[in-house]
Amino acid sequence: MHPVALTTQGQVAVLTFQNPPVNGLGHALRAGILSALDRALADPAIAAIVLTGGESLFSGGADVREFGTPKSSMSPNLPDVIRALDDAHKPVIAAIAGHALGGGLELALGCHYRVARKDATLGLPEVKLGLLPGAGGTQRLPRAIGVEAALNMIVSGAPQKAAAFAGTTLVDEVVEADVVAAAIAFAARAATERMPLRRLRDIKLPSAGTDAFLQFARTSVKAAAKGLPAPLACVEAVADSVTQPFDEGLRRERAAFFALMNTPESRAARHVFAAERAAGKLPDVPSDTPLRPIQRVGVIGAGTMGGGITMNFLNVGIPVVLLESSQEALERGLATIRRNYDNSARRGKLTADQVAQRLALISPTLSYDAFKDVDLVIEAVFEQMDVKESVFRQLDAVCKPGAILASNTSYLDINRIAGFTSRPQDVLGLHFFSPANVMRLLEIVRGEQTAKDVMATALALGKKIRKVSVVSGVCDGFIGNRMVARYGAAANALIVAGASPQQIDKALERFGFAMGPFRMGDLAGLDIGWATRKRRAAEAGVPHEPTVADKLCELGRFGQKTGAGWYRYEPSARDALPDPVVEQLVNEYRAAKGVTPRKVSDEEVVQRCVFALVNEAARILEEGIAVRASDVDLVYLNGYGFPAHRGGPMCYANEVGLFNVVRALRGFASEPGAFDWWQPAPLLRKLAEEGQRFA
Ligand code: NAD
């Protein structure tokens, strides 16, 4: 298919982009637009030109498939194309349906006039990738809608409907439908009425009154940006649209764009964008694998997780059969779901009708017979193998052939669970994170025998319920919990060495974690980790050597829920207060181990905790538990509060340099009594030696 179709209607040439799926402005399309434009400009029978993506979509912006390749910057680049529009001696009209985003909107801004369908979305989302619009967007949009509105749009990156711009120079005509026909009529009129070639670049913005606004914007954006460079660069570029001649503004914008491209923050944001696109793909599961229909779901257990899991399906209109072991537990679970929805209604996020519709999709039950015709069951019962066994044996007996049987287990062996059924190919893990109706992460755990179409169906379902899905192989704790165990162990060892929970939490929060490990532990409950460590010791046939955290649990300090853990909490307050009891317990622990406390720097805290994550992740990759390094990043970003602007632990390790990571790990591993897991993973060593990065 040619990237641009050139047709004519009377005196009007219509240039239609044909680069599915989103008319990304890749090299071929950019070159195609220029050559079709040149033909139309040279043709004496043509008096006006319409630029369009047809009735479904104008352009989603840059072609992400060309990101990081030479094609992305090969000439003609987008500014070249837009300059040609600016220079056109015949009127050019953009006909916009669907989306005009990023470079797509900048292209439209380069046209003389714009006709848009009222529901089309217009936006410059570059800031979300740590960038600013680099093809004139920051100079032309203020000239079209005013400095204040443009600044808000560019700094937030939030798109808006075309209807909102009726009456501005951004959209000359808003139509209900048939935008291409409307634009052709507009173009014909522009030609016959000899309408002026209105270039946004020729508009002079008044500087009076904008100084104060720009100063206010600088202060408020700086405060909100938390050190990210892109939002402030957006403000400065918009300011240039007022204070600088147009061409100088363009030049500065382009320079700022390339400078931002080279910041770690933008690299991280683009990495995450690409990671999310890659995560849904499995090398051995073709994208056209037929899916199993999921029209009715069963959930077992209406506790913390089961309730949240249920809400995910209700929210997208999928009915749920919810099973509990007692009427009382069932009613408690239903009441929690109802309360959550009522809270959303109170905050104006749902109407009373929507709440009623969602609740009506639940069929509560105490009997497995109700699962006869469900397409998928997810169990979220107690984390004990014997309970899981009884559940899966019953499911195997009642569920129809082909039904997918899933466990929400945090740690247990999915292969063993599959072995409780006569259909291991239909069994997998669907590991949600708490609160399951809020957290974006879903680990899809692939058993040894899980069928490919079950994996494909789970990935599609993850998308439908708006999760970031990452596939994990079977191991204790899967990707996320296996890594967090090392992170926790590194943090605990720092306490023994001489740091306080407060120091460690603060250091990691300054690094950007939403919450340090000890505040997080108190929130999640320390008893879970305690039980896991005891189980692991028992499984390994070694005596359980209590950690400081275990000693806290022995005192009944499970965290916020018992009013004390690593910190103490005032009744009905969440502030983590330092507790002399903990200090004393830690001192006793050190004394018993013969440790003389030393000073620990904040930098060491970050290195040990984050490199422990990186090293375990390298083993996870080596063992094939994770498919790709960027999957690990998504797990950590979406499930464990890793700072988004650092792109996840693997992206961060790349930024630090793997050589430096390995060197630090070697140092930790060589200390007397060091855990053997401080030894750098073979994969990490190999990449470091070869001067490579996690790909
Ligand atoms: P929970 O104790 O809050 O809820 C478990 C529910 O299951 C209870 O309501 C209980 O009555 C019910 N139940 C127990 N046995 C049953 C049976 N045989 N049949 C029917 N119902 C039964 O526990 P939870 O925190 O929701 O955890 C559930 C599962 O999810 C566990 O496997 C856990 O490891 C996993 N998980 C928990 C979290 C978390 O943060 N809580 C996160 C991810 C995964």
Side-chain angles (χ1 to χ4, degrees), residues 526-535 544 549-550 553-554 558:
L526 303 178
D527 46 326
I528 306 169
W530 187 34
T532 307
R533 284 186 291 274
K534 284 192 288 190
R535 172 179 61 78
H544 173 58
D550 297 340
C553 289
E554 285 168 13
F558 293 168

Side-chain angles (χ1 to χ4, degrees), residues 300-306 323-326 329 332 368 379-384 387-388 390-391 394 407-411 431-434 481 528:
I300 312 178
T304 310
M305 295 306 291
L323 181 142
E324 254 294 350
S325 52
S326 71
R332 207 174 329 125
Y368 275 80
E379 70 74 17
V381 301
F382 301 137
E383 184 78 338
Q384 291 159 359
V387 186
K388 306 283 188 199
S390 133
V391 165
Q394 293 181 78
S407 171
N408 181 50
T409 178
S410 306
Y411 296 96
H431 184 213
F432 290 79
F433 287 71
S434 181
N481 282 338
I528 306 169

Side-chain angles (χ1 to χ4, degrees), residues 432-493:
F432 290 79
F433 287 71
S434 181
N437 53 318
V438 177
M439 295 290 282
R440 282 182 82 211
L441 180 62
L442 175 64
E443 276 182 334
I444 301 182
V445 185
R446 183 177 194 171
E448 256 160 32
Q449 300 191 51
T450 310
K452 290 183 183 179
D453 66 338
V454 169
M455 292 307 296
T457 303
L459 283 162
L461 189 67
K463 205 172 268 176
K464 174 146 196 187
I465 61 173
R466 297 189 276 273
K467 297 289 177 193
V468 174
S469 304
V470 173
V471 174
S472 170
V474 176
C475 65
D476 196 342
F478 315 120
I479 298 173
N481 282 338
R482 177 170 157 182
M483 286 169 64
V484 83
R486 293 286 185 251
Y487 174 77
N492 272 274

Side-chain angles (χ1 to χ4, degrees), residues 5 42 57 101 132 160 222 275 326 329 433 449 473 525 537 576 613 650 687:
L57 172 123
L101 297 176
L132 50 60
Q160 291 195 44
K222 186 169 182 194
S326 71
F433 287 71
Q449 300 191 51
L613 287 175
M650 310 308 260
L687 292 175

